[in-house]
Amino acid sequence: MFVSSGDLTAAAVRKGVRIMAISKTEIEKLAKLAKLSFTDEELERFTAEFDEIIAFADTVNQSIEGGTEQIRSVDARMVSFDDLRPDEVVPSLPNDKILSNVEGYNGFFKVERSKK
Amino acid sequence: MRAGIYELAIRLRNREISAVELTKAYIDAIEKLNPAINAYVYLTFDTALKAAEQADQMLKEGDAPLLCGIPMALKDNICTDGIATTCCSKILKDFKPYYDAAVWEKLKAQGAVLLGKTNMDEFAMGSTSETSCYGAPLNPRNTNYVTGGSSGGSAAAVCANLAVYSLGSDTGGSIRQPASFCGVVGLKPTYGAVSRYGLIAYGSSLDQIGPLANSVKDAAIVFDAIKGGDKRDQTSVDYDYGSSLAECLDRDIKGMRIGVAEEFFEGINTEIKSKIEKAIKLFENNGAVIENIRLPALKLALPVYYIIACAEASSNLGRYDGIRYGYRTSSYTGIEDMIVRTRSEGFGDEVKRRIMLGTYVLSSGYYDAYYKKACLIREEINREFDAVFENCDVLVAPTAPNTAFPLNHKGDSPVEMYLSDICTVPVNIAGVPAISVPCGEDSRGLPIGMQIIGRRFGEATVLQAAHFYEQSAGKVIGDYEGGAGI
Amino acid sequence: MNYEIVCGIETHIELATKTKIFCGCTTEFGGEPNTHCCPVCTGQPGSLPILNQKVVEYAIKAGLALNCKINTKSHMDRKNYVYPDLPKAYQISQYDEPLCEKGYIELDSGKRIGITRIHIEEDAGKLIHESGLTYIDYNRSGVPLIEIVSEPDISSAEEAKEYAEKLQLIMRYIGISDCKMQEGSMRCDVNLSLRKPGDPRFGVRTEIKNINSLSFIQKAVMAEAERQADILDAGGTVVQQTMRYDEGTNSVTPMRDKENSDDYRYFPDPDILRFCVDDKKVEEIRESLPELPFDKLKRYMNVLGLSEATAKQIFRYRMVAEFFEDTLAEGASVKNTANLIVVTIFSNMDTEEEKELFAIRISAAQFAALVKLADEKKINIGVAQSTLQKMLESGKPVEEFIKPEDLVGISDEALESLCKEAIDANPEAAANVRNGKDKAINVMFGYIMKKTGGKADIRKAEVLLRKLIRQ
Ligand SMILES: [Mg+2]
Ligand SMILES: [Zn+2]
């Protein structure tokens, strides 16, 4: 999967050829996924900045071939079945704690579906 | 030299000073200096005085822990029951958690006195603390300069003697870099050495809590007090460090193998480079063995870090939707619209940038090219570190490629700012421990930090090397005048 | 035009663990809103999940019962989407390393419906929309689920129903869930497309979400197949979308788009370590499984010799089957035990639910004591039934209703003396019998039954009477 660590450096140096520039439409699509909205002015600025950040991230993409393998490392820490949490009830917190950071209603969290 | 934790602990036990008196001295200093430095964003003087009274009681009863009655500060992303914890973000405005972070639970039980919550980059995303919604903290050594970040307030509070020590969090250098900018000691422990329970997540696989203090010994004492496995954080490890770390600092460094990787020195400011080289000479002259090593994959550490940290952040920060806590927008047309408005109004630019990048690298069609490859390179970086630590006990490197930026320093782009994390992020990627100790000043009198990196759970060796340097190098930076004056 | 149905079913089943999947909060149903909650299951900043061992065990049980391969190494992923019922804005689920894979369920026809995978994940909270407000209760947030995904092997509405029915039965049997579709502890999503017979390509499919009864599965498949056939017949194309089945109108209609696109940006959850379950543990879990329902059914018919109808009535309910087998273990006969359960005990239970619960007031041992009296012909079956009814109502043992002296009264010797008594008391009738008027024997029968309260074995009495009369 790796070209080799020596080539890794070489690949990093070779950076510069960008695969793709990001379009405004794509930024808008991402914003929708991220539940963010941008004004037109912000969007312009953001698209430009984002282009550069992506170029920076692209050094990773271009440094190695492949990338379709499993991403789990062989020696990553694992936990055995016996060390998982036993199924024993722990008292929950009182409702007023759970709702302590908002105005609730009869124990519920509450959101108006629209607000002027 | 101002008193360290150990000296203060002795004075408290000798009744030369009470915890209440000590706390009051810090409160006075904070009232005087904080308006200018902006290290604290939330003050807890009432609870501090109560805690100090209790600490005095504990001290009277004898057998009190070392940190009992010592005034300290917590970064604003560490949850404190009933005390505001906002990550310096508008979106967590007025947020008061209803539980304590594991580290705070531990310190509280040891009689720690919390003075307040410290300033930081919004959600720990930044290298200057200027993305804080409360405005940037100022570098106490020169208030025209930034503190570094993201734990800038924690570094400034310790530097200005507005706290004896503080806790910060380090995802890509956020303890070590501000420590270096402010001329204090900052320890990023091994990933898993300290419970993350109650630390508001940025990049979960990288985040780690650690101390900022005035000396290596103080950092060791605090690390001793907060380390250990926690059932509530599965990624934590109950590693057996043997006896107290603070007590084995004085071991000789003769024969210690110190690795120096040229990759850490590329593009580093020459003043910094020469100070680090001088420090390396000092180690060598005292019997350490210098090994020149290579870490080729390091070149990719920075983009790998930004991909992984932002991917995790984009997911971790999805929960700020205005429903259960924090800021909620005032007018909207539907719940979806409420969520979008809340997030767009509540998050700052840098946070939005990173959420967007994280969303991008995880989105379908790009996952393999970015996120997956970043994980593969992370493995490679881990392997390189593992291999290096077969032959070295510690690595020595600069903490940052530069000293503190002037305030409002606008780089050409966000990426230029990201480059300042180049020496610190590999450590987070590999999950190994590292400390930053002051090792000189640049021509403007701004502190320079040296980073000492160890193998996983090798904190004892890291602290020992750092302590040796601190004790042998003499006075490398000027004293900060002011603060609590204890 | 004729089409072939290509259908797969995704089933979410709530596991009957005591605590939630990532925290120690109770999974108990009901409770005041937001009272079974903590920082973890309400997604408080700084909280971290800790995986429940029982969830893994139950999912493996399900996998083994459905003939799956168990992945000894597995991990949790985050499925990212924003919705008010999902407090962390991601559901912790499994993506590319599910606990179980490649199993099957065998239909009565012998056809196997493949199980692609079984994974574990967390449930979301509950939203209540009322007069311009949305109320949120996170009591269900973090309740453990398994998602069972079938291959698109189902090719008729009947098969769809049979698949779901069998799945439900097996899950109930192994005790990992009560699988109540009305209460939502079992929910089915049906994927369906049509194609021309013999065409190897799949057509465009739709997904019908959250079907909450077995018969609706059958109806929904029929309705959707018809809907798609109409579109195709008219030369149109089916739109890939999420549908809802309306039981009132028996129709399938598109669901309002759930805003989110389907880009869930799955990635491994960095807060939860990958976990391993070694082969030894899997074997241990396998051994803890009860006999599976369809193995039991076969055994009831082939080994115990029950009729298919009776066997099917008993095996369907795990508690009933257990009671049945416990009674046999006490030495009662198969035939009388099965008969008394199906006729008498079931007549007290009107609903499936009651049979499922099988809350009765007598133990298997007490029941066996009664059955054995019938087996030994000490009482006849009618008496056994009426006595059983009294036992069920009172919870009292058989001795309360049938005294030892009652039984003595109809022992062979007692019966013989009773017969003599009957003949002596009815000389005329006895003479008539002797003279060929056979029906006159009924007079003696009446006498004996009256004296024994109906407990005498009438056939034995007949033999005795004839013998005595002939003497
Ligand atoms: Mg699911
Ligand atoms: Zn909970």
Side-chain angles (χ1 to χ4, degrees):
Chain A
M1 77 182 168
F2 279 98
V3 194
S4 91
S5 31
D7 290 345
L8 256 179
T9 326
V13 175
R14 275 202 315 272
K15 70 172 184 184
V17 215
R18 291 231 309 273
I19 309 182
M20 53 204 106
I22 194 153
S23 69
K24 214 168 123 181
T25 342
E26 249 181 310
I27 293 274
E28 275 167 344
K29 211 180 93 195
L30 288 176
K32 205 164 161 31
L33 277 176
K35 300 284 176 248
L36 291 171
S37 71
F38 296 99
T39 63
D40 278 349
E41 180 267 327
E42 278 174 331
L43 208 59
E44 291 292 339
R45 179 164 50 86
F46 212 83
T47 310
E49 279 173 4
F50 212 66
D51 240 8
E52 196 186 342
I53 300 173
I54 296 300
F56 166 70
D58 257 345
T59 56
V60 162
N61 183 27
Q62 290 175 35
S63 64
I64 49 167
E65 283 154 6
T68 46
E69 301 87 349
Q70 295 280 303
I71 52 171
R72 275 170 296 283
S73 97
V74 200
D75 51 15
R77 273 181 64 206
M78 292 227 293
V79 62
S80 77
F81 177 87
D82 292 328
D83 291 328
L84 295 174
R85 175 174 63 83
D87 187 28
E88 286 156 16
V89 176
V90 174
S92 295
L93 292 179
N95 180 266
D96 59 332
K97 283 241 172 190
I98 297 294
L99 291 177
S100 60
N101 276 289
V102 282
E103 192 194 319
Y105 177 80
N106 277 350
F108 287 99
F109 287 91
K110 151 197 114 174
V111 193
E112 289 93 336
R113 281 208 292 286
S114 72
K115 213 173 169 185
K116 285 269 157 7
Chain B
M1 268 276 274
R2 73 179 84 156
I5 294 171
Y6 198 72
E7 292 78 30
L8 287 173
I10 290 171
R11 286 196 220 169
L12 286 167
R13 278 159 187 73
N14 292 345
R15 309 278 181 274
E16 287 167 42
I17 189 168
S18 71
V20 170
E21 284 165 341
L22 185 62
T23 302
K24 279 182 175 159
Y26 277 90
I27 290 175
D28 286 347
I30 292 168
E31 279 176 338
K32 217 178 314 147
L33 283 173
N34 196 57
I37 292 175
N38 202 21
Y40 286 90
V41 295
Y42 191 82
L43 298 165
T44 54
F45 294 163
D46 288 347
T47 43
L49 287 168
K50 269 189 218 119
E53 274 171 35
Q54 279 173 14
D56 278 328
Q57 192 57 39
M58 274 170 86
L59 285 159
K60 205 182 282 170
E61 282 159 15
D63 217 25
L66 218 43
L67 292 176
C68 182
I70 310 280
M72 47 76 71
L74 290 174
K75 189 175 179 177
D76 200 31
N77 60 352
I78 296 172
C79 285
T80 40
D81 189 357
I83 297 171
T85 304
T86 72
C87 285
C88 292
S89 177
K90 182 178 169 187
I91 211 156
L92 275 178
K93 192 176 139 258
D94 304 326
F95 173 61
K96 286 185 178 151
Y98 48 76
Y99 73 100
D100 282 324
V103 286
W104 176 230
E105 210 174 59
K106 279 193 172 175
L107 289 176
K108 212 154 76 169
Q110 293 173 49
V113 176
L114 177 70
L115 295 164
K117 306 297 283 279
T118 56
N119 211 344
M120 60 186 276
D121 278 302
E122 184 180 2
F123 280 99
M125 296 177 184
S127 309
T128 63
S129 299
E130 289 171 293
T131 68
S132 163
C133 74
Y134 304 106
L138 307 186
N139 193 321
R141 289 177 178 275
N142 185 333
T143 52
N144 295 318
Y145 290 84
V146 301
T147 55
S150 65
S151 311
S154 292
V158 171
C159 169
N161 204 11
L162 302 182
V164 178
Y165 69 93
S166 63
L167 293 190
S169 68
D170 192 317
T171 307
S174 284
I175 288 174
R176 290 158 290 158
Q177 187 253 26
S180 95
F181 282 14
C182 292
V184 301
V185 174
L187 172 70
K188 189 222 76 105
T190 307
Y191 184 77
V194 178
S195 171
R196 288 186 296 121
Y197 189 78
L199 169 67
I200 300 183
Y202 160 22
S204 314
S205 73
L206 302 153
D207 294 343
Q208 191 61 192
I209 296 174
L212 291 102
N214 271 300
S215 68
V216 175
K217 188 168 186 176
D218 281 6
I221 292 170
V222 178
F223 175 66
D224 259 337
I226 60 171
K227 71 181 187 330
D230 179 4
K231 279 203 184 96
R232 297 162 299 181
D233 174 6
Q234 212 196 18
T235 61
S236 70
V237 178
D238 211 11
Y239 185 80
D240 180 11
Y241 285 95
S243 56
S244 144
L245 285 157
E247 277 162 24
C248 35
L249 293 175
D250 291 319
R251 283 193 204 137
D252 198 9
I253 62 136
K254 225 169 240 123
M256 188 184 273
R257 297 164 305 168
I258 295 180
V260 178
E262 64 184 64
E263 288 82 1
F264 272 119
F265 291 83
E266 279 167 24
I268 301 298
N269 167 312
T270 48
E271 279 181 288
I272 295 177
K273 209 170 157 183
S274 74
K275 295 284 188 220
I276 308 288
E277 277 160 1
K278 202 173 146 199
I280 292 169
K281 261 266 141 356
L282 180 81
F283 280 120
E284 194 172 17
N285 293 341
N286 283 279
V289 182
I290 308 300
E291 309 268 3
N292 286 305
I293 50 113
R294 296 292 311 271
L295 285 165
L298 230 53
K299 301 231 146 119
L300 287 169
L302 204 55
V304 162
Y305 164 77
Y306 276 95
I307 290 170
I308 291 174
C310 293
E312 291 175 359
S314 73
S315 173
N316 285 330
L317 271 62
R319 72 188 67 195
Y320 304 103
D321 56 10
I323 291 175
R324 290 161 302 277
Y325 38 75
Y327 174 76
R328 187 187 292 180
T329 190
S330 54
S331 73
Y332 51 89
T333 58
I335 291 184
E336 163 90 3
D337 185 48
M338 184 281 281
I339 294 173
V340 172
R341 279 173 194 266
T342 294
R343 292 168 61 80
S344 301
E345 291 161 19
F347 289 133
D349 274 358
E350 186 56 36
V351 172
K352 285 181 195 168
R353 247 194 299 274
R354 296 193 193 192
I355 291 175
M356 289 285 280
L357 177 63
T359 307
Y360 177 71
V361 299
L362 289 174
S363 65
S364 77
Y366 300 105
Y367 181 86
D368 284 355
Y370 296 109
Y371 182 74
K372 217 163 190 182
K373 281 196 183 176
C375 291
L376 289 171
I377 299 169
R378 182 180 198 169
E379 295 298 313
E380 177 68 11
I381 292 171
N382 285 343
R383 277 192 291 272
E384 285 187 6
F385 268 104
D386 286 348
V388 159
F389 283 118
E390 300 259 304
N391 300 312
C392 299
D393 298 308
V394 292
L395 302 182
V396 167
T399 304
N402 45 267
T403 51
F405 306 104
L407 282 165
N408 302 314
H409 170 74
K410 289 270 180 285
D412 288 340
S413 71
V415 171
E416 197 200 308
M417 208 40 112
Y418 297 170
L419 287 170
S420 69
D421 298 332
I422 199 149
C423 300
T424 44
V425 297
V427 168
N428 300 80
I429 290 174
V432 295
I435 197 167
S436 177
V437 283
C439 78
E441 289 174 346
D442 70 3
S443 51
R444 290 166 300 180
L446 295 168
I448 293 169
M450 170 170 64
Q451 194 177 198
I452 300 173
I453 305 165
R455 61 172 69 90
R456 236 163 264 141
F457 300 104
E459 276 85 352
T461 317
V462 167
L463 289 163
Q464 191 192 331
H467 181 72
F468 170 82
Y469 174 76
E470 185 188 65
Q471 298 305 303
S472 344
K475 203 174 171 64
V476 291
I477 57 169
D479 289 333
Y480 175 84
E481 306 294 343
I486 300 287
Chain C
M1 176 59 100
N2 261 329
Y3 298 100
E4 207 174 271
I5 292 177
V6 178
C7 168
I9 298 182
E10 284 173 26
T11 311
H12 284 91
I13 288 171
E14 255 179 33
L15 298 180
T17 55
K18 289 200 209 74
T19 69
K20 293 186 179 182
I21 182 167
F22 299 118
C23 63
C25 291
T26 177
T27 54
E28 213 173 283
F29 203 81
E32 293 297 304
N34 298 300
T35 52
H36 300 168
C37 295
C38 74
V40 178
C41 56
T42 56
Q44 288 292 303
S47 64
L48 296 168
I50 301 291
L51 182 58
N52 182 346
Q53 185 184 64
K54 207 75 180 172
V55 173
V56 176
E57 183 188 320
Y58 278 5
I60 292 174
K61 275 191 170 178
L64 292 172
L66 298 179
N67 313 294
C68 288
K69 168 181 163 283
I70 309 302
N71 282 328
T72 48
K73 285 173 183 157
S74 194
H75 79 273
M76 305 305 300
D77 292 288
R78 291 187 184 179
K79 178 181 182 180
N80 295 285
Y81 68 92
V82 176
Y83 205 66
D85 63 4
L86 193 66
K88 300 185 295 300
Y90 56 82
Q91 180 195 32
I92 305 179
S93 180
Q94 296 192 290
Y95 183 58
D96 60 347
E97 213 179 31
L99 258 175
C100 319
E101 286 179 287
K102 298 191 186 85
Y104 63 87
I105 284 181
E106 195 170 291
L107 302 183
D108 285 344
S109 63
K111 177 179 174 180
R112 284 180 177 183
I113 306 300
I115 304 287
T116 317
R117 55 185 278 148
I118 304 175
H119 68 249
I120 54 178
E121 61 185 25
E122 56 182 335
D123 208 347
K126 217 167 86 186
L127 302 183
I128 300 165
H129 305 288
E130 216 176 270
S131 57
L133 284 159
T134 293
Y135 299 97
I136 312 166
D137 175 9
Y138 292 109
N139 281 354
R140 304 311 291 161
S141 166
V143 166
L145 301 175
I146 50 173
E147 182 176 328
I148 302 171
V149 183
S150 89
E151 290 288 313
D153 293 342
I154 297 163
S155 39
S156 72
E158 294 71 32
E159 281 185 8
K161 187 186 177 203
E162 193 188 338
Y163 166 83
E165 208 166 22
K166 291 219 146 109
L167 181 61
Q168 183 184 50
L169 183 55
I170 295 168
M171 295 301 108
R172 281 180 177 168
Y173 237 80
I174 60 175
I176 64 165
S177 173
D178 57 15
C179 287
K180 288 182 185 163
M181 293 195 77
Q182 300 83 340
E183 286 178 20
S185 61
M186 171 170 165
R187 323 190 268 264
C188 290
D189 301 340
V190 170
N191 289 296
L192 188 143
S193 66
L194 298 182
R195 66 177 168 192
K196 288 182 188 150
D199 193 337
R201 291 164 306 170
F202 289 124
V204 178
R205 60 167 205 180
T206 57
E207 185 177 23
I208 313 164
K209 283 265 184 214
N210 281 329
I211 305 178
N212 63 1
S213 99
L214 289 172
S215 63
F216 292 163
I217 291 177
Q218 189 171 2
K219 286 178 182 164
V221 168
M222 273 190 300
E224 179 58 9
E226 268 169 41
R227 191 190 70 88
Q228 290 190 14
D230 287 348
I231 294 173
L232 295 174
D233 283 344
T237 47
V238 175
V239 182
Q240 183 172 349
Q241 57 190 343
T242 306
M243 313 292 285
R244 179 207 315 278
Y245 173 72
D246 184 328
E247 52 257 39
T249 59
N250 189 31
S251 64
V252 176
T253 48
M255 232 158 102
R256 187 182 54 91
D257 197 10
K258 210 180 172 183
E259 290 98 13
N260 288 290
S261 84
D262 47 7
D263 192 347
Y264 293 122
R265 289 154 289 137
Y266 281 100
F267 74 104
D269 192 324
D271 292 327
I272 304 174
L273 298 181
R274 197 168 170 225
F275 52 96
C276 53
V277 189
D278 58 25
D279 294 339
K280 209 181 118 224
K281 191 82 224 174
V282 173
E283 281 320 302
E284 230 177 276
I285 296 173
R286 192 193 300 277
E287 272 155 37
S288 77
L289 283 176
E291 182 182 28
L292 293 174
F294 295 96
D295 296 338
K296 205 183 263 304
L297 177 63
K298 274 182 210 150
R299 182 167 62 88
Y300 282 5
M301 289 161 61
N302 302 339
V303 180
L304 299 185
L306 284 181
S307 70
E308 185 174 342
T310 308
K312 276 192 168 166
Q313 284 192 77
I314 293 173
F315 101 109
R316 275 193 64 79
Y317 314 98
R318 184 180 170 181
M319 304 298 284
V320 177
E322 261 174 30
F323 184 76
F324 171 64
E325 290 179 30
D326 288 349
T327 309
L328 298 192
E330 297 281 338
S333 76
V334 171
K335 196 170 156 249
N336 282 335
T337 305
N339 184 302
L340 286 166
I341 290 176
V342 171
V343 174
T344 310
I345 301 186
F346 279 2
S347 71
N348 288 284
M349 298 177 173
D350 297 329
T351 62
E352 289 290 292
E353 191 124 300
E354 283 176 276
K355 290 177 190 168
E356 197 65 55
L357 275 173
F358 203 64
I360 56 169
R361 303 179 65 181
I362 56 166
S363 68
Q366 288 170 347
F367 181 44
L370 170 79
V371 180
K372 280 193 277 187
L373 291 180
D375 291 347
E376 291 158 12
K377 302 267 174 13
K378 289 185 179 159
I379 56 174
N380 69 22
I381 202 74
V383 174
Q385 286 170 356
S386 59
T387 308
L388 177 56
Q389 186 58 35
K390 286 179 215 154
M391 288 167 71
L392 291 170
E393 280 160 14
S394 63
K396 288 179 180 156
V398 66
E399 298 84 54
E400 291 283 328
F401 306 102
I402 298 175
K403 304 284 180 222
E405 54 269 30
D406 296 341
L407 295 172
V408 169
I410 48 173
S411 69
D412 286 357
E413 305 80 53
L415 190 61
E416 190 162 352
S417 61
L418 248 180
C419 286
K420 277 182 194 147
E421 224 181 288
I423 292 165
D424 293 347
N426 300 285
E428 220 170 299
N432 284 341
V433 173
R434 223 174 278 126
N435 297 330
K437 287 186 180 167
D438 217 36
K439 276 198 174 154
I441 200 165
N442 285 341
V443 178
M444 266 86 73
F445 285 168
Y447 181 91
I448 292 165
M449 288 322 241
K450 200 174 163 197
K451 285 270 174 183
T452 59
K455 282 173 202 149
D457 184 328
I458 212 70
R459 255 172 302 175
K460 240 186 205 171
E462 187 179 350
V463 173
L464 280 169
L465 282 169
R466 287 192 194 285
K467 197 179 88 187
L468 291 168
I469 289 168
R470 259 185 271 119
Q471 278 171 2

